[in-house]
Amino acid sequence: MRIDHFADILKQHGIRHGAGVPCSFFTPLVNHMTVDPELDYTSATSEGEAVAIAAGLTTAGKPAFALMQNSGLGNAVNPITSMLYIYSMPVTLLVSHRGEPGKPDEPQHALMGQITESLAELCGLRTHVLDPERFEGELSAALSDGVPTAFICRKGTLTDGPDAPPLDLRFASGGQSPATSGTFVAELRREQALDAAREVLNRGLRGVVEGSAATPAVVCTTGKLSRELHELDDRDFSKGNRFYMVGSMGCAAGFGLGIAHADPGRPVIVLDGDGALLMKLGSLATTGALASPNYHHVVFDNGAHDSTGGQPTPSPSADFALAALACGYRHAETVSDRDAFVEALARHVEMEGPTLLRMIIHTGARKDLGRPKLSPRDAYLRFSAFLQGTPWSSAGGAS
Ligand SMILES: Cc1ncc(C[n+]2csc(CCOP(=O)(O)OP(=O)(O)O)c2C)c(N)n1
């Protein structure tokens, strides 16, 4: 299938964005996307991150695909099962088929080659082998049914891409330092810090949430952070600008990045945990490279996986502010007291991003902490409606 024809089908169905980790089977597509001004490709650092970025774009009304070698399907299983599947996000996956049974290939592809289709199906993806005759109809059906779908792409299916333009790269080293330095000791627990942040997070929200471009989109990481923020002021479902990620640990950053990329006019605030950020630390590099001015990363760093019992993470010796700057963020700093946090957060969302604010906190949470009562499907529909400025109608009410 000629790549220009394949790309035309994507465009005709509103897909102009993609994120991925490449496979040589997709070289024609990736090369085509670098020269076709109507298409946009983000190079992700892991296949799970690619899924998260494509999910963010799609949620914000810019349908997107995630592209990966079938080896990377293994890296993406959790974001597919805990995010695309449970929220029923209509993201298209393009998965190459290395190690196709009966065809000679490298040994590392032998097992995954045998299980690729069945693994995609087991992950809840509507799965097709990419067939030039059927692709358009199957893509159209997947998008109108609103389900996550995988197209398994065999060797030689996509052809005739252009050569990649030559790269003229400059490699940065020894940039700026974080705005704060020294040793930081926690004063607040996460819930107290979230409480202090609410005024900024809710800025621009009126009684009934409207899709004003000034209202920040707030993406909350997995675990107790989401539960606490929901309990603090969204039990009446009034905060349509919030998305609580119930699984897909580490994907809040990529998901928020997809949203920021889809709508540069909307501030995006990602509330992350140290464990989650460390799980997908490559997101810092993707964010720095994309340089979205509207992206603001806040890391609640308690040096622990607090949500699962407080087991330590290596974050006390991992300076996220320094790492963010090293990856291309425009501004980063660490704070640990309430006033400095509120001041810095308010300042960051007004700055040109990407910015990163590391707030040092204690472990610990209330014993009687509840859970967001919206079903995952409704949580997705509510947030997507907010981002697209459309009314939210519940798919089935609170769960
Ligand atoms: C892929 C994956 N691995 C592990 C878990 C279990 N889990 C849920 S929350 C969490 C801890 C997250 O730690 P951190 O991001 O530091 O946030 P904190 O709980 O400290 O607020 C873990 C390990 C998960 N949900 N998904």
Side-chain angles (χ1 to χ4, degrees):
M1 185 177 195
R2 285 184 57 87
I3 203 63
D4 43 6
H5 178 48
F6 182 80
D8 281 346
I9 294 175
L10 292 179
K11 289 185 219 172
Q12 279 157 20
H13 290 82
I15 301 181
R16 291 187 161 71
H17 298 268
V21 178
C23 172
S24 58
F25 290 13
F26 291 126
T27 302
L29 177 58
V30 176
N31 286 2
H32 181 89
M33 290 186 81
T34 58
V35 299
D36 183 337
E38 291 179 44
L39 295 175
D40 158 68
Y41 177 74
T42 300
S43 178
T45 57
S46 72
E47 292 78 2
E49 188 198 23
V51 168
I53 293 170
L57 281 156
T58 301
T59 305
K62 301 277 171 75
F65 66 79
L67 165 156
M68 63 193 72
Q69 184 171 94
N70 50 341
S71 333
L73 185 59
N75 288 344
V77 165
N78 177 253
I80 293 167
T81 56
S82 291
M83 183 165 48
L84 298 190
Y85 179 78
I86 60 154
Y87 293 108
S88 198
M89 293 171 168
V91 172
T92 305
L93 267 62
L94 303 176
V95 182
S96 69
H97 199 169
R98 296 295 304 261
E100 189 186 334
K103 301 222 171 130
D105 207 333
E106 304 293 325
Q108 68 270 27
H109 300 298
L111 180 56
M112 185 53 98
Q114 289 171 40
I115 65 173
T116 297
E117 265 184 78
S118 44
L119 178 59
E121 281 166 3
L122 279 173
C123 287
L125 297 167
R126 183 184 288 180
T127 302
H128 304 288
V129 172
L130 202 163
D131 179 299
E133 299 299 316
R134 295 196 305 263
F135 176 61
E136 180 161 17
E138 289 166 348
L139 179 66
S140 175
L143 294 173
S144 64
D145 293 345
V147 294
T149 302
F151 288 93
I152 312 294
C153 181
R154 295 191 171 145
K155 187 171 188 177
T157 303
L158 299 178
T159 62
D160 296 300
D163 289 338
L167 298 175
D168 179 19
L169 301 177
R170 302 282 184 276
F171 293 81
S173 178
Q176 52 173 331
S177 305
T180 52
S181 62
T183 304
F184 297 85
V185 178
E187 295 182 10
L188 305 181
R189 282 190 299 148
R190 187 184 41 237
E191 188 175 22
Q192 294 167 312
L194 286 169
D195 195 22
R198 286 194 296 123
E199 194 278 317
V200 176
L201 304 183
N202 296 341
R203 221 169 248 184
L205 284 176
R206 276 162 278 173
V208 174
V209 174
E210 291 170 15
S212 135
T215 307
V218 178
V219 177
C220 306
T221 186
T222 317
K224 289 187 177 170
L225 188 152
S226 277
R227 294 167 61 187
E228 286 169 347
L229 190 58
H230 173 266
E231 288 260 301
L232 277 169
D233 64 3
D234 195 17
R235 277 187 287 187
D236 59 354
F237 308 132
S238 61
K239 305 296 183 292
N241 66 330
R242 302 252 185 90
F243 185 76
Y244 307 107
M245 197 157 257
V246 294
S248 24
M249 182 175 161
C251 287
F255 184 66
L257 188 61
I259 294 164
H261 193 45
D263 182 0
R266 158 120 30 228
V268 176
I269 305 175
V270 172
L271 306 181
D272 222 340
D274 49 288
L277 179 54
L278 287 166
M279 185 174 272
K280 288 221 166 16
L281 201 55
S283 304
L284 290 181
T286 313
T287 301
L290 218 52
S292 300
N294 52 331
Y295 185 89
H296 305 288
H297 207 158
V298 183
V299 186
F300 291 84
D301 189 349
N302 48 24
H305 291 116
D306 188 47
S307 301
T308 49
Q311 303 86 351
T313 70
S315 81
S317 55
D319 183 346
F320 293 128
L322 193 56
L325 292 174
C327 287
Y329 280 54
R330 290 202 171 85
H331 183 85
E333 65 193 278
T334 300
V335 292
S336 59
D337 72 78
R338 187 185 194 285
D339 290 349
F341 175 55
V342 173
E343 184 279 319
L345 180 61
R347 184 162 39 79
H348 277 218
V349 297
E350 301 290 331
M351 290 174 82
E352 191 177 340
T355 65
L356 183 138
L357 178 59
R358 180 193 197 193
M359 172 59 176
I360 305 298
I361 52 164
H362 283 301
T363 53
R366 280 191 287 124
K367 291 271 180 283
D368 60 347
L369 193 57
R371 289 176 189 274
K373 294 283 187 292
L374 277 180
S375 67
R377 183 68 186 148
D378 268 344
Y380 166 69
L381 291 175
R382 178 179 87 150
F383 191 55
S384 187
F386 163 76
L387 292 173
Q388 297 183 52
T390 55
W392 167 50
S393 50
S394 167
S399 66

